[in-house]
Amino acid sequence: EVQLVESGGGLVQPGRSLKLSCAASGFTFSNYYTAWVRQAPKKGLEWVATISSSGSRTYYPDSVKGRFTISRDNAKSSLYLQMNSLKSEDTATYYCARQTGSFDYWGQGVMVTVSS
Amino acid sequence: DIQMTQSPASLSASLRETVSIECLASEDIYNNLAWYQQKPGKSPQLLIYYASSLQDGVPSRFSGSGSGTQYSLKIKSLESEDAATYFCLQDSEYPNTFGAGTKLELK
C-alpha cells in the first residue's frame, strides 16, 4: 500500500523558516517524481514544487521560487520542503504527493501557520 | 501560465441523478487533465487521469471526457458518498494548475 506521511508543520513567524518532511513507503520511491501541493484554509489547491526521481530537476511556481527548496533522499525514501522567508499567504495545509503526470497518491497533509 | 476555469462553482443534485462538471483550459492541454474528489478534512483522491482514464478502485459511475481546451467529469446515478468538492488539474506543463473547485451537495 502506498503511504505518504508528512511532518514538520507548525506555527512560525513571518520571515522565518520551516522544513517539512514526507516519508514514503509501499512503492519504489526512487522511480517516481514527487511533489508538494498546498491548500490555504477554505481555498483551492496550489502546486508548490516538483522534483524528478533522481533529484536532478526541480520545478516551482513563481509564488515560491527563490524561497522554497524541494529535495529528496532516495536512500531514506524521503521528500523535503525547505521554506524560507515565510509570508502569511504561505499559511496552508501542505500535502506531499507522488507525481505520474497527475498526482496519484497524496499524504494526509500537515498544517503550516505563518503568523506573529 | 495555463488558467483552468471550472464550472459550476457549486451544484445541488438528488440521489440517482447524473451531473457534469466542466473545466476550460486557456490553451490546448493535450488531454493532460485529471479530476480529483476531496471530502472535508481529507486529502484529494484521484478519480480520472489523462482526461478519461479511470483510476484503480474508482467506481465506474465516474467518467471523464474532452480534448483540446474543454473537459468534463460526469457522475452517473449519484450516491450519498459523492457529496464532496471536485477539482480539475492540468499537468500538461509547469506550473501545474488546478481549477477553483466545484462543491457538490446532495439534496
Side-chain angles (χ1 to χ4, degrees):
Chain A
E1 179 194 6
V2 172
Q3 283 200 312
L4 298 161
V5 180
E6 303 93 339
S7 60
L11 174 64
V12 60
Q13 293 179 328
R16 303 298 291 263
S17 300
L18 196 65
K19 186 173 185 176
L20 305 181
S21 300
C22 173
S25 60
F27 65 103
T28 305
F29 182 72
S30 59
N31 287 353
Y32 290 87
Y33 280 46
T34 46
W36 292 94
V37 178
R38 68 184 179 185
Q39 186 169 35
K42 305 293 185 186
K43 299 292 186 182
L45 297 162
E46 181 186 17
W47 166 74
V48 171
T50 290
I51 188 166
S52 64
S53 52
S54 67
S56 61
R57 289 186 297 272
T58 58
Y59 308 86
Y60 305 93
D62 287 345
S63 58
V64 307
K65 195 176 295 183
R67 299 189 300 122
F68 289 12
T69 302
I70 189 172
S71 62
R72 65 191 296 157
D73 184 336
N74 284 343
K76 295 182 177 180
S77 295
S78 292
L79 178 70
Y80 306 101
L81 185 67
Q82 176 68 46
M83 304 184 291
N84 298 331
S85 303
L86 281 161
K87 306 174 182 180
S88 58
E89 53 262 43
D90 295 319
T91 293
T93 296
Y94 285 73
Y95 298 99
C96 73
R98 193 176 79 169
Q99 187 164 17
T100 55
S102 56
F103 307 110
D104 61 350
Y105 289 94
W106 301 58
Q108 84 287 352
V110 63
M111 185 68 201
V112 172
T113 302
V114 184
S115 174
S116 53
Chain B
D1 298 1
I2 297 175
Q3 308 302 315
M4 301 302 295
T5 303
Q6 187 172 342
S7 61
S10 63
L11 187 53
S12 182
S14 302
L15 293 175
R16 293 178 294 281
E17 200 175 322
T18 294
V19 298
S20 288
I21 298 169
E22 313 289 326
C23 262
L24 177 67
S26 58
E27 59 187 83
D28 195 328
I29 56 172
Y30 307 101
N31 288 0
N32 292 299
L33 190 285
W35 290 98
Y36 294 86
Q37 177 192 69
Q38 186 179 31
K39 297 183 178 179
K42 300 292 187 182
S43 55
Q45 300 294 308
L46 178 64
L47 301 173
I48 302 286
Y49 61 95
Y50 202 58
S52 61
S53 295
L54 193 67
Q55 175 71 349
D56 289 347
V58 174
S60 58
R61 64 179 183 276
F62 291 90
S63 64
S65 64
S67 63
T69 61
Q70 296 186 302
Y71 299 87
S72 64
L73 172 71
K74 182 184 285 187
I75 313 172
K76 291 184 178 179
S77 192
L78 280 168
E79 299 188 6
S80 57
E81 65 189 38
D82 298 334
T85 300
Y86 294 84
F87 295 94
C88 63
L89 162 76
Q90 70 80 15
D91 56 80
S92 180
E93 65 177 48
Y94 293 114
N96 294 158
T97 45
F98 290 88
T102 296
K103 186 172 183 179
L104 173 61
E105 173 195 85
L106 277 292
K107 292 178 185 172

